[in-house]
Amino acid sequence: MAAARLFINEKTIKKDGTAAVYALVHINNKSLKINTGVSVIFEKFDKIKNRVRGNDQAANDANLIIDRCLSTINQIFVRYHLQNKGLTADLLLREYRNPTNYIDFYAWMDKKINDRVKNKDIGAVSGKHQRVLLNKLKAYKPELSFSEIDLKFITGFRNWLRGKENNNGVNTIQKMFAYWRAYMNLALKEEIISINPLELVQLRRIEPQIVFLTEQELIKLWDFYRKEQFQENYHKTLRHFLFMCFTGVRISDFKRLTKKHIQENALVFVPYKTRNKKGKDISIPLIDKAIQLIKDENSQIDILFDVYTDQKMNEYLKNIADQSGINKKIRNHAGRHTFATLFISKTKDVATLQRLLGHSNISETMKYVHISREEINNQMTKFNQALNF
């Protein structure tokens, strides 16, 4: 461990005869000057004893500040040595300027996730997703303090996520970094850090391909469902998926639907996704097929549908698609996408679809405005006929 010594630069003496007292540290072949915050008359500083000469209150206060500075530097060295961590000049300076930076980031984030789930600031599922980030960080670096989170660490972690061992996609990384940035902002509010380095990172987001069923594919699945051509667990999964196709509800809302949400043949509820943003009720009229699916479920409890886990449901949907000859990677979200795509195709009413989906921004709804090649050809034929010459 390197010890700090004090020095005054004779070339920086001010007009009043005072100069700043610095702590000089040599670390990894690099010299680091740390301003102690003390300025004294040059002749009153004892270079040998590293003290301000004098017994008056001003000298005592100055020496107390200097001792505190040296003690802080020494504590940082000791802490890194005991934890067998490498200490750089940049880390030393950051920890000196913000002493709370040495806080264990993992322990802090773990507690924050627990508190936020307990206080219902986030749902249990969101908590699980955020723990995926926490576990990934731990796998990359088993111990991490706030002071070690810099642009170099962030870039290294992102490259590690992209590597062969993990092979995470751009959007997956984007989501994890969004969680990470949010927690660093919480640390910023708690004054644990003075700057959020995640704000300096820009990630390219690729819009995911929207998977949806065509009208013919939906008819095929409905026929299979009515003829009960699948085994019991697949049949039940298909019933739940078709309900989302006919109503457009998200899987997060579908799992929470109760009989109380049915009012005058409509689903009326506040979307789970916007529950903490003073979300408004949305009302989705139930078409005949949706009503039939509720009757088929025949739930004996308040919950409308007895739902499998997301993972199990997606596994069953993959097998349903394979057995039905539908060459698409169908997941539960495809139900909402199917409803939105077919609704806009049949009605051309974007504003109503926006209300049914509960979108606050119409740009979210516009992604469902698909124009097929067949529709283009039909419109061009009409245009050609309208010219009439």
Side-chain angles (χ1 to χ4, degrees):
M1 292 185 292
R5 67 179 181 85
L6 299 178
F7 96 109
I8 293 180
N9 190 340
E10 298 181 33
K11 296 180 180 180
T12 60
I13 297 176
K14 302 173 186 176
K15 292 181 179 180
D16 62 359
T18 64
V21 179
Y22 291 90
L24 181 64
V25 183
H26 295 285
I27 180 170
N28 297 334
N29 298 319
K30 184 176 181 179
S31 296
L32 177 67
K33 288 194 309 181
I34 297 177
N35 194 329
T36 65
V38 171
S39 292
V40 298
I41 295 175
F42 183 74
E43 290 76 12
K44 284 192 174 184
F45 186 73
D46 188 331
K47 294 181 180 179
I48 298 175
K49 294 183 179 180
N50 280 342
R51 309 295 290 174
V52 176
R53 295 188 179 96
N55 294 316
D56 57 10
Q57 188 63 43
N60 291 336
D61 289 345
N63 285 324
L64 185 62
I65 294 172
I66 289 171
D67 288 343
R68 189 178 299 147
C69 168
L70 296 176
S71 176
T72 299
I73 293 171
N74 186 58
Q75 286 174 12
I76 295 170
F77 270 100
V78 169
R79 184 167 62 252
Y80 272 76
H81 175 71
L82 293 177
Q83 295 178 358
N84 196 28
K85 290 183 177 181
L87 181 62
T88 65
D90 289 339
L91 278 174
L92 175 61
L93 188 59
R94 281 205 300 274
E95 290 220 13
Y96 176 81
R97 289 175 174 172
N98 193 347
T100 57
N101 257 0
Y102 70 83
I103 291 176
D104 184 333
F105 175 75
Y106 296 148
W108 176 86
M109 183 174 175
D110 181 71
K111 185 177 185 304
K112 277 295 171 189
I113 294 174
N114 286 337
D115 290 346
R116 297 183 77 199
V117 172
K118 182 179 179 181
N119 297 331
K120 297 185 178 180
D121 294 327
I122 58 174
V125 174
S126 292
K128 288 181 180 179
H129 290 164
Q130 289 162 27
R131 285 200 177 279
V132 170
L133 164 64
L134 183 58
N135 292 332
K136 289 281 187 182
L137 283 165
K138 287 181 178 179
Y140 177 66
K141 193 176 190 306
E143 295 180 350
L144 183 67
S145 61
F146 277 98
S147 59
E148 295 174 288
I149 303 174
D150 56 15
L151 197 56
K152 182 179 179 181
F153 174 81
I154 293 167
T155 302
F157 177 60
R158 180 174 60 183
N159 292 338
W160 179 78
L161 289 173
R162 291 172 176 169
K164 292 181 180 179
E165 183 179 348
N166 295 284
N167 196 29
N168 289 289
V170 173
N171 288 343
T172 299
I173 296 174
Q174 174 84 355
K175 184 172 288 187
M176 281 195 279
F177 269 61
Y179 289 143
W180 195 7
R181 184 182 289 117
Y183 278 92
M184 292 296 283
N185 279 332
L186 288 175
L188 194 63
K189 290 180 180 179
E190 294 180 5
E191 298 184 352
I192 295 174
I193 56 177
S194 57
I195 186 172
N196 183 351
L198 269 299
E199 296 295 348
L200 304 175
V201 178
Q202 290 185 343
L203 291 174
R204 179 172 58 90
R205 179 174 175 81
I206 299 175
E207 286 299 324
Q209 182 182 7
I210 296 176
V211 178
F212 62 95
L213 300 180
T214 64
E215 184 177 0
Q216 291 70 29
E217 290 167 338
L218 183 59
I219 291 172
K220 178 186 286 189
L221 287 185
W222 177 254
D223 287 342
F224 282 164
Y225 172 75
R226 297 308 300 158
K227 294 174 183 177
E228 300 185 13
Q229 292 186 236
F230 296 114
Q231 61 192 65
E232 184 179 349
N233 52 348
Y234 289 2
H235 187 73
K236 176 180 173 180
T237 297
L238 182 55
R239 176 163 61 247
H240 297 171
F241 178 73
L242 287 170
F243 186 84
M244 289 185 279
C245 290
F246 296 139
T247 59
V249 297
R250 293 185 182 92
I251 184 65
S252 57
D253 294 322
F254 175 74
K255 291 189 292 187
R256 292 170 174 81
L257 290 176
T258 67
K259 294 175 182 178
K260 294 178 182 177
H261 289 129
I262 300 179
Q263 301 176 20
E264 298 179 357
N265 272 356
L267 290 176
V268 181
F269 60 94
V270 175
Y272 183 74
K273 189 175 182 179
T274 59
R275 68 197 182 286
N276 293 330
K277 301 176 183 178
K278 296 182 180 179
K280 297 179 181 179
D281 282 354
I282 62 173
S283 178
I284 304 173
L286 292 170
I287 65 173
D288 293 342
K289 287 182 173 59
I291 294 172
Q292 182 60 52
L293 292 170
I294 294 174
K295 291 178 180 178
D296 291 348
E297 182 77 11
N298 192 27
S299 175
Q300 301 301 307
I301 57 177
D302 191 43
I303 296 295
L304 215 53
F305 294 96
D306 178 25
V307 187
Y308 291 120
T309 64
D310 288 11
Q311 183 179 7
K312 187 60 68 176
M313 184 176 185
N314 287 330
E315 177 188 328
Y316 291 161
L317 284 172
K318 179 181 181 300
N319 292 330
I320 289 170
D322 291 341
Q323 293 182 32
S324 304
I326 297 175
N327 188 26
K328 291 179 178 178
K329 293 182 179 179
I330 300 176
R331 300 174 68 83
N332 51 50
H333 292 299
R336 180 173 170 85
H337 298 330
T338 297
F339 168 80
T341 304
L342 293 181
F343 183 91
I344 202 69
S345 174
K346 296 294 184 182
T347 69
K348 308 294 188 278
D349 189 343
V350 179
T352 297
L353 180 60
Q354 180 186 4
R355 291 195 295 272
L356 290 171
L357 296 178
H359 287 162
S360 58
N361 192 326
I362 199 167
S363 62
E364 296 178 80
T365 316
M366 290 301 293
K367 66 185 179 183
Y368 293 110
V369 183
H370 303 285
I371 301 177
S372 69
R373 184 176 297 277
E374 182 181 356
E375 288 176 316
I376 292 175
N377 291 336
N378 289 338
Q379 294 303 323
M380 285 302 293
T381 299
K382 291 179 181 178
F383 174 71
N384 181 48
Q385 293 171 347
L387 291 178
N388 198 26
F389 62 82

